[in-house]
């Protein structure tokens, strides 16, 4: 290891490079060029016997890595419903990395444990969920779904006298999992990891926007978990969670809400009606790295029955201190050692404030409306009711749409991904970035129209 520069010089240089990258992001092409990707070959390929200086490593990463990035942090990236990073959340992420706190335990990281606790309180308030919920900061909505569904698994089996953490699922009373047929694939993955089975679910019919149909719900008998969704990953539409709870909760079913991005509608007085009744559910999963615009990797799990979450996640060991009343974050997460990712959320919420979060969500939805209007003016087919931040657009038959999407991505002005919706191939535009402006939407539609015209 070479240490010729001071740590302060190294980090200042890094900050200058990152600042330049971010200042240039709004003007950069979104997909990297093939030349930039090929140039990655010039980075060291074999592990050196003697290490290089940190300054050299950072300079190389910036010289070769920065041009090869997809500008996902910029204002014209519309892929995968993910946002960029607000200034305060990025800066707080850096500072918290410098602290390098092991944030699983209050004893080793009282500062991050306390900041995460505050952020959790703010989130429950903002999302209009019960104040006494338990929660966890995890890597994303996939793991958030997994974690809180483990709490659900614990509770519905404990209710019939089975301790799943101690006894496992062999010989356990069966759990019925009821799920809308348009649920996100990551939920099925979570079910697989939990031993509940990706395939042994009862799928419920949905309407033409992907919302679970309450009239199609089966009758509830025995240990049951009902998985709902707010924010369909294609259409943005939300299941009628309140009505679903009204139907199934009296029969003892646990209702889970996958709200990876859609849950944030609850933070906007104008949009909250779309997710009406979510506060009646038992658990919720959402992402902070999507609509809240904090750096990856950042997701949040929330559970009304805190004891069930703790029963599913807490460990005890002689060397792990118990903290009396202090909250050990690791009692609520799959991980033991981990970074204090809740600090990024704390900073983003403090930077935006209550009104700023509502404004961010509403602004993205307004941009989605503009996209739909301008695309229709070009006679493109918008396939969904644009109720949130998602727009599905077709450019003709499936083959033509596929070619159009590839050409739009290659052209570089903007980036959106491919999807399939009700038997048709479509481009999926997700507006989730805090920095997107009207001008970015207009520029993007202009680029889309001219690329499609030249096919
Ligand atoms: C994005 C998404 C997920 C998965 O989130 P990750 O953060 O990628 O793990 C789950 N459910 C829905 C509805 C999503 O949109």
């Amino acid at each position: 290891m070479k240490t010729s520069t001071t740590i302060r010089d190294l980090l200042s240089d890094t900050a200058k490079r990152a600042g330049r990258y971010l200042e240039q992001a709004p003007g950069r092409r979104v997909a990297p060029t093939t030349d930039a990707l090929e140039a990655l070959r010039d980075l060291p390929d074999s592990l050196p016997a003697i290490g290089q200086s940190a300054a050299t490593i950072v300079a190389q990463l910036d010289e070769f890595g920065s041009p090869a990035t997809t500008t996902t942090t910029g204002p014209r990236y519309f892929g995968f419903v993910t946002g960029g990073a607000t200034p305060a959340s990025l800066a707080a992420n850096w500072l918290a990395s410098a602290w390098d706190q092991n944030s699983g335990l209050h004893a080793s990281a009282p500062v991050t444990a306390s900041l995460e606790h505050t952020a959790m309180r703010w989130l429950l308030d903002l999302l209009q969920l019960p104040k006494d919920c338990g929660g966890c900061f995890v890597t994303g909505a996939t793991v958030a779904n997994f974690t809180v569904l483990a709490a659900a698994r614990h509770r519905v089996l404990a209710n019939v006298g089975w301790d799943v953490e101690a006894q496992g699922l062999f010989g356990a009373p069966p759990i019925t999992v009821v799920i809308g047929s348009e649920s996100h694939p990551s939920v099925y993955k979570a079910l697989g990891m939990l031993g509940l089975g990706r395939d042994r679910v009862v799928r419920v019919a949905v309407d033409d926007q992907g919302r679970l149909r309450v009239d199609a719900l089966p009758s509830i008998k025995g240990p049951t978990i009902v998985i709902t969704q707010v924010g369909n990953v294609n259409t943005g539409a939300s299941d009628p969670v309140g009505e679903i709870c009204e139907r199934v909760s009296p029969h003892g079913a646990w209702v889970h809400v996958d709200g990876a991005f859609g849950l944030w509608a609850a933070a906007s007085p104008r949009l909250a009606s779309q997710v009406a009744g979510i506060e009646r559910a038992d658990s919720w999963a959402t992402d902070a790295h999507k609509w809240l615009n904090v750096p990856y990797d950042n997701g949040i799990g929330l559970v009304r029955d805190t004891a069930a979450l703790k029963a599913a996640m807490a460990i005890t060991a002689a060397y792990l201190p118990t903290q009396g009343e202090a909250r050990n974050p690791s009692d609520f997460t799959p991980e033991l050692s981990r970074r204090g990712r809740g600090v990024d959320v704390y900073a983003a919420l403090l930077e935006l404030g209550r009104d700023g979060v509502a404004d961010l969500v509403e602004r993205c939805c307004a941009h989605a409306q503009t996209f739909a209007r301008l695309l229709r003016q070009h006679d493109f087919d918008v396939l969904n009711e644009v109720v949130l931040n998602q727009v599905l657009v077709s450019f003709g038959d499936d083959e033509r749409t596929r070619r159009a999407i590839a050409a739009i991505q290659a052209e570089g002005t903007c980036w959106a991904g491919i999807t399939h919706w009700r038997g048709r191939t479509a481009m999926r535009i997700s507006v989730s970035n805090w920095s997107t402006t009207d001008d970015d939407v207009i520029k993007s539609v202009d680029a889309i129209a001219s690329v499609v015209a030249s096919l």
Side-chain angles (χ1 to χ4, degrees):
M1 194 160 87
K2 302 258 177 12
T3 49
S4 49
T5 35
T6 65
I7 186 72
R8 191 186 292 215
D9 287 345
L10 173 69
L11 294 182
S12 298
D13 175 60
T14 307
K16 272 198 205 101
R17 293 174 184 279
R20 190 165 55 221
Y21 177 82
L22 290 172
E23 276 167 11
Q24 290 171 353
R28 282 189 81 213
R29 49 177 291 120
V30 183
T33 61
T34 42
D35 284 352
L37 291 172
E38 275 166 18
L40 289 172
R41 278 197 309 240
D42 293 334
L43 284 169
D45 187 42
S46 50
L47 179 64
I50 297 166
Q52 298 182 352
S53 77
T56 307
I57 295 166
V58 170
Q60 275 177 356
L61 285 174
D62 190 29
E63 184 183 347
F64 296 102
S66 295
T69 55
T70 305
T71 317
T72 51
T73 196
R76 290 182 309 283
Y77 176 78
F78 304 108
F80 301 105
V81 214
T82 50
T86 66
S89 71
L90 175 61
N93 173 293
W94 286 9
L95 189 60
S97 290
W99 293 344
D100 195 27
Q101 301 285 285
N102 184 346
S103 301
L105 300 170
H106 191 279
S108 64
V111 59
T112 53
S114 149
L115 290 170
E116 289 195 338
H117 194 50
T118 303
M120 193 59 77
R121 216 164 22 82
W122 290 350
L123 282 167
L124 291 170
D125 181 29
L126 200 58
L127 300 174
Q128 317 223 26
L129 298 176
K131 288 188 181 356
D132 52 351
C133 282
C136 54
F137 288 102
V138 291
T139 50
T142 302
V143 177
N145 278 319
F146 165 80
T147 307
V148 303
L149 286 171
R153 185 182 68 164
H154 170 86
R155 180 54 64 211
V156 299
L157 286 179
N159 286 348
V160 291
W162 187 268
D163 179 350
V164 66
E165 283 74 32
Q167 305 298 325
L169 282 171
F170 300 103
I175 299 175
T176 305
V177 176
V178 176
I179 187 166
S181 65
E182 265 294 328
S183 277
H184 194 271
S186 67
V187 177
Y188 289 92
K189 174 171 169 170
L191 290 172
M193 291 194 289
L194 287 161
L196 297 175
R198 295 188 188 205
D199 292 346
R200 57 173 296 290
V201 295
V202 178
R203 286 170 184 264
V204 182
V206 294
D207 70 11
D208 64 354
Q209 298 300 306
R211 300 182 197 94
L212 188 152
R213 274 176 39 203
V214 178
D215 65 331
L217 280 167
S219 57
I220 305 297
K221 282 189 293 293
T224 303
I225 300 169
V226 177
I227 299 179
T228 69
Q229 168 173 266
V230 295
N232 176 285
V233 82
N234 283 312
T235 66
S238 294
D239 292 347
V241 179
E243 288 172 56
I244 294 167
C245 291
E246 198 167 307
R247 269 286 300 277
V248 306
S249 298
H251 303 285
W254 177 293
V255 179
H256 171 64
V257 182
D258 175 11
F261 63 97
L263 206 65
W264 293 91
S268 152
R270 290 231 298 272
L271 297 160
S273 63
Q274 294 205 29
V275 296
I278 50 166
E279 73 287 351
R280 300 179 61 170
D282 297 284
S283 59
W284 306 263
T286 192
D287 264 318
H289 60 218
K290 284 183 174 167
W291 227 340
L292 187 60
N293 281 257
V294 309
Y296 303 101
D297 39 19
N298 216 320
I300 299 151
L302 301 163
V303 180
R304 179 191 300 278
D305 182 346
T306 308
L309 180 59
K310 205 166 171 178
M313 294 294 147
I315 54 173
T316 51
Y319 67 90
L320 295 177
T322 48
Q323 277 291 320
E325 288 305 295
R327 177 185 183 279
N328 263 335
S330 67
D331 284 349
F332 306 91
T333 58
E335 304 90 350
L336 179 53
S337 302
R338 64 175 184 85
R339 76 181 184 92
R341 58 173 60 81
V343 178
D344 311 6
V345 173
Y346 170 91
L349 292 176
L350 198 54
E351 176 184 31
L352 291 163
R354 189 188 299 277
D355 293 350
V357 176
D359 184 55
L360 164 61
V361 171
E362 289 166 11
R363 217 167 53 231
C364 290
C365 294
H367 289 323
Q369 294 290 347
T370 307
F371 258 117
R373 186 167 48 78
L374 296 179
L375 290 165
R376 283 191 177 113
Q377 280 173 11
H378 285 283
D379 282 332
F380 299 134
D381 214 357
V382 174
L383 304 184
N384 64 317
E385 289 169 19
V386 180
V387 291
L388 213 61
N389 61 336
Q390 304 290 104
V391 183
L392 301 176
V393 58
S394 150
F395 303 105
D397 64 25
D398 288 358
E399 178 48 32
R400 186 174 163 82
T401 299
R402 241 190 313 274
R403 279 200 295 132
I405 295 167
I408 290 161
Q409 292 174 353
E411 190 269 344
T413 301
C414 64
W415 200 100
I418 191 169
T419 193
H420 302 279
W421 178 245
R422 294 174 74 81
R424 290 180 71 179
T425 297
M427 186 167 83
R428 183 171 65 122
I429 300 169
S430 307
V431 191
S432 318
N433 192 295
W434 67 281
S435 65
T436 302
T437 63
D438 286 331
D439 189 47
D440 290 309
V441 176
I442 292 165
K443 256 191 211 152
S444 299
V445 175
D446 285 350
I448 291 167
S450 71
V451 167
V452 174
S454 71
L455 280 182

